[in-house]
């Protein structure tokens, strides 16, 4: 299993085991990570699975595609390292990935 670490805006960490080929968002929802609303269930029609990729992981996580970048315009507090976690597929290479969560998804 691949470990994904979610860190909320207060610094609380939640480490989850994720299965390869599921999305980071699915791993969060399956482990009830607070701060990932995932209202559209991963259909790329909302931005409620928004997270910030840890600096050390920016070169490891594949770049966002145009559709994701367009949807990120709907998210609040967007930064250079913002991603929609529904668009990141879990692989062995992401073991230890740190995803920081915004204060709010709305």
């Amino acid at each position: 299993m691949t470990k994904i670490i979610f860190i909320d805006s207060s610094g609380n960490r939640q480490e989850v085991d994720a299965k390869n080929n599921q999305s980071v968002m699915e791993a969060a929802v399956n482990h009830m990570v607070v701060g990932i609303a995932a209202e559209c269930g991963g259909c790329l029609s909302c931005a409620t699975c928004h997270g910030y990729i840890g600096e050390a992981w920016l070169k490891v996580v594949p770049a966002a595609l145009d559709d994701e970048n367009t949807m990120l315009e709907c998210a609040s507090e967007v930064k250079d390292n913002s991603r929609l976690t529904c668009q990141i597929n879990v692989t062995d290479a992401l073991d230890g990935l740190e995803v920081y969560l915004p204060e709010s998804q709305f």
Side-chain angles (χ1 to χ4, degrees):
M1 292 258 174
T2 299
K3 295 234 182 267
I4 307 292
I5 303 160
F6 295 92
I7 304 152
D8 71 16
S9 60
S10 298
N12 299 310
R13 298 167 62 93
Q14 184 174 350
E15 194 171 297
V16 305
D17 288 323
K19 296 177 184 174
N20 284 350
N21 299 316
Q22 73 178 167
S23 70
V24 171
M25 180 272 306
E26 289 171 316
V29 169
N30 290 344
H31 289 88
M32 296 181 277
V33 171
V34 175
I36 298 284
E39 288 185 352
C40 74
C43 296
L44 195 57
S45 62
C46 74
T48 60
C49 65
H50 176 220
Y52 308 112
I53 303 304
E55 283 295 316
W57 293 95
L58 291 175
K59 292 183 180 179
V60 179
V61 174
L65 300 176
D66 289 341
D67 288 345
E68 179 182 353
N69 286 323
T70 299
M71 191 53 61
L72 274 168
E73 293 174 9
C74 300
S76 56
E77 302 178 47
V78 174
K79 301 177 182 178
D80 289 341
N81 60 336
S82 287
R83 289 297 302 274
L84 297 181
T85 58
C86 69
Q87 298 302 298
I88 304 170
N89 287 323
V90 174
T91 65
D92 290 339
L94 297 183
D95 192 37
L97 173 68
E98 293 181 331
V99 179
Y100 295 83
L101 302 176
E103 191 170 333
S104 172
Q105 292 289 355
F106 306 99

